[in-house]
Amino acid sequence: MTHEEKHFNGSEIVRDIVIGMSDGLTVPFALAAGLTGAAQGNTIIVTAGLAEIVAGSIAMGLGGYLAGKTEIDHYDSELKREYYEVEVFPDKERDEVREVFREYGLSEESQTLIVEELAKDKDKWVNFMMRYELGLEKPDINRARQSALTIGVSYIVGGIVPLSPYFPLFTSNARDGFIYSCIITAICLFIFGYFKTKSNLN
């Protein structure tokens, strides 16, 4: 019998969907609910809701892009610093590698052997320090664009849910739209939370 380990590899995508959907479900709902008592009909609520969804998706997408760009810039900055330290302070960097393996209980002889082998390849040495000393993984260069797109689209999808009951196709007055919006939004938030919990457990 073979053992196959299954790991969830879409954590970044799920995180972006969570960010976009959670705000998309709540912000347009709050706006529509606030306008329900003041608006004479559904047209104003739908128009204002769609405008908010467009503006919100752009703002959220831009925030996701800037966050992804910052992550890439931070990694590049730390990478340059590690190359500099390996070049200028090799003994200090060797001691830091030893400290990593010392925490795993390796003997002094094993630590020295591994350090000397690792130091023969500067790129591998730096990559080791980035991962195990700083805890940084090399980000995808397309991460910023993907994050912006995922968050923006998720916000739109989430925003349409609480706004859809106000469309003339479903209801003719704001009061009924509000009731149905509450029900649909509550159900979607429950389902969304369930799948979010499942993805964290797997």
Side-chain angles (χ1 to χ4, degrees):
M1 178 181 293
T2 59
H3 172 65
E4 180 181 354
E5 292 189 8
K6 295 182 179 180
H7 299 282
F8 184 71
N9 297 320
S11 59
E12 291 181 342
I13 296 176
V14 170
R15 183 186 65 187
D16 290 341
I17 293 175
V18 167
I19 293 172
M21 285 284 288
S22 58
D23 280 8
L25 283 169
T26 53
V27 177
F29 170 78
L31 174 64
L35 292 174
T36 296
Q40 297 296 322
N42 288 359
T43 303
I44 295 177
I45 297 175
V46 171
T47 303
L50 290 175
E52 195 288 323
I53 290 173
V54 172
S57 65
I58 294 173
M60 293 290 291
L62 180 60
Y65 177 83
L66 293 176
K69 188 70 167 56
T70 300
E71 182 181 356
I72 294 172
D73 291 342
H74 174 65
Y75 183 89
D76 290 341
S77 175
E78 291 296 327
L79 185 66
K80 291 178 182 178
R81 186 174 66 85
E82 282 298 327
Y83 270 110
Y84 173 79
E85 291 181 351
V86 164
E87 186 70 32
V88 180
F89 309 110
D91 292 337
K92 181 176 179 295
E93 293 299 295
R94 283 186 171 90
D95 289 339
E96 290 178 354
V97 174
R98 288 191 181 91
E99 181 62 30
V100 171
F101 288 109
R102 188 177 298 118
E103 292 178 357
Y104 286 96
L106 272 67
S107 65
E108 291 290 338
E109 293 80 6
S110 298
Q111 294 171 29
T112 301
L113 179 61
I114 294 173
V115 168
E116 293 307 316
E117 286 296 320
L118 194 61
K120 292 178 180 179
D121 190 321
K122 188 179 296 184
D123 292 332
K124 292 181 179 178
W125 189 2
V126 170
N127 288 334
F128 177 88
M129 300 303 292
M130 292 291 290
R131 177 175 294 183
Y132 294 100
E133 181 194 16
L134 302 178
L136 296 176
E137 295 284 347
K138 184 177 181 179
D140 186 350
I141 59 174
N142 298 318
R143 170 72 184 138
R145 289 196 298 267
Q146 292 173 348
S147 180
L149 180 62
T150 303
I151 292 176
V153 171
S154 298
Y155 189 94
I156 293 173
V157 173
I160 290 295
V161 171
L163 192 63
S164 59
Y166 292 93
F167 291 164
L169 181 64
F170 298 102
T171 57
S172 58
N173 61 81
R175 183 177 180 277
D176 289 344
F178 174 69
I179 294 173
Y180 291 130
S181 179
C182 289
I183 296 172
I184 293 174
T185 303
I187 293 173
C188 288
L189 285 172
F190 175 80
I191 296 173
F192 181 64
Y194 172 78
F195 282 106
K196 177 186 174 184
T197 303
K198 291 287 290 182
S199 66
N200 289 338
L201 293 177
N202 291 336

